[in-house]
């Protein structure tokens, strides 16, 4: 085998030096690319952690808000139930007051009759007791013209009561009487 010539050796050395330089340059580029990839991976990991923390915080805020709104809803439903009970009580009271109002209306409708009866009773009280026996006039309780005859007292339909008065008053079995 023959020895290579110095030019070939020089060319081979220059070629080796160029290959070595190219390898070093590629290694630097590879290292820079690996650093970039590593930095990007670390950045993605940090961003992923930040997003997870933000997502978890948002979920916790949402859960707290849901719990608050649920509690508020329950209190509102309790308040509504209380108001329903108050309304029912007020309706019962209104029913009682309407009945009393109807009674007062009926009393007011009957007032002229009551006023007349009271004025007759007052006049009878002013007359006072009878002083002596009256022998000339014969008064009978069964007299047909008397308003106080037993048949007229029992027959209460002679009083001028309205149909409302008859509906509201059960006076079929009642007998009115007074002492003068």
């Amino acid at each position: 085998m023959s020895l290579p010539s110095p030019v070939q050796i020089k060319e081979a050395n220059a070629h080796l030096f160029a290959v070595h330089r190219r390898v070093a340059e590629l290694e630097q580029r590879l290292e820079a690319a690996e650093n970039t990839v590593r930095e990007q991976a670390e950045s993605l990991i940090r961003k992923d952690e930040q997003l997870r923390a933000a997502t978890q915080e948002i979920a916790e805020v949402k859960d707290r808000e849901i719990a608050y709104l649920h509690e508020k809803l329950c209190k509102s439903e309790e308040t509504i139930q209380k108001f329903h009970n108050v309304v029912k009580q007020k309706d019962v009271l209104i029913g009682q007051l309407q009945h009393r109002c109807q009674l007062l209306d009926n009393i007011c409708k009957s007032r002229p009759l009551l006023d007349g009866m009271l004025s007759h009773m007052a006049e009878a009280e002013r007359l006072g007791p009878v002083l002596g026996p009256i022998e000339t006039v014969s008064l009978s309780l069964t007299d047909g013209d008397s308003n106080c005859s037993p048949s007229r007292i029992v027959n209460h339909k002679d009083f001028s009561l309205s149909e409302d008065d008859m509906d509201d008053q059960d006076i079929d079995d009642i007998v009115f009487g007074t002492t003068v």
Side-chain angles (χ1 to χ4, degrees), residues 67-80:
Y68 169 74
L69 291 173
H70 185 268
E71 181 181 333
K72 193 172 181 179
L73 176 66
C74 290
K75 286 181 181 179
S76 295
E77 287 175 350
E78 288 175 9
T79 303
I80 288 171

Side-chain angles (χ1 to χ4, degrees), residues 84-154:
H84 279 299
N85 291 338
V86 168
V87 167
K88 286 179 185 177
Q89 291 173 353
K90 298 287 182 177
D91 285 344
V92 168
L93 180 63
I94 287 171
Q96 292 172 352
L97 292 175
Q98 283 177 335
H99 178 69
R100 289 182 180 197
C101 182
Q102 183 64 39
L103 289 174
L104 287 174
D105 284 345
N106 291 338
I107 289 171
C108 289
K109 288 177 187 176
S110 302
R111 184 163 180 203
L113 177 65
L114 293 173
D115 286 342
M117 190 183 331
L118 288 173
S119 70
H120 291 302
M121 289 172 67
E123 183 180 345
E125 285 179 355
R126 277 195 310 267
L127 291 177
V130 177
L131 297 176
I134 302 175
E135 297 176 14
T136 59
V137 178
S138 169
L139 293 177
S140 169
L141 289 177
T142 59
D143 186 28
D145 293 335
S146 171
N147 283 337
C148 294
S149 69
S151 64
R152 303 230 353 135
I153 291 174
V154 173

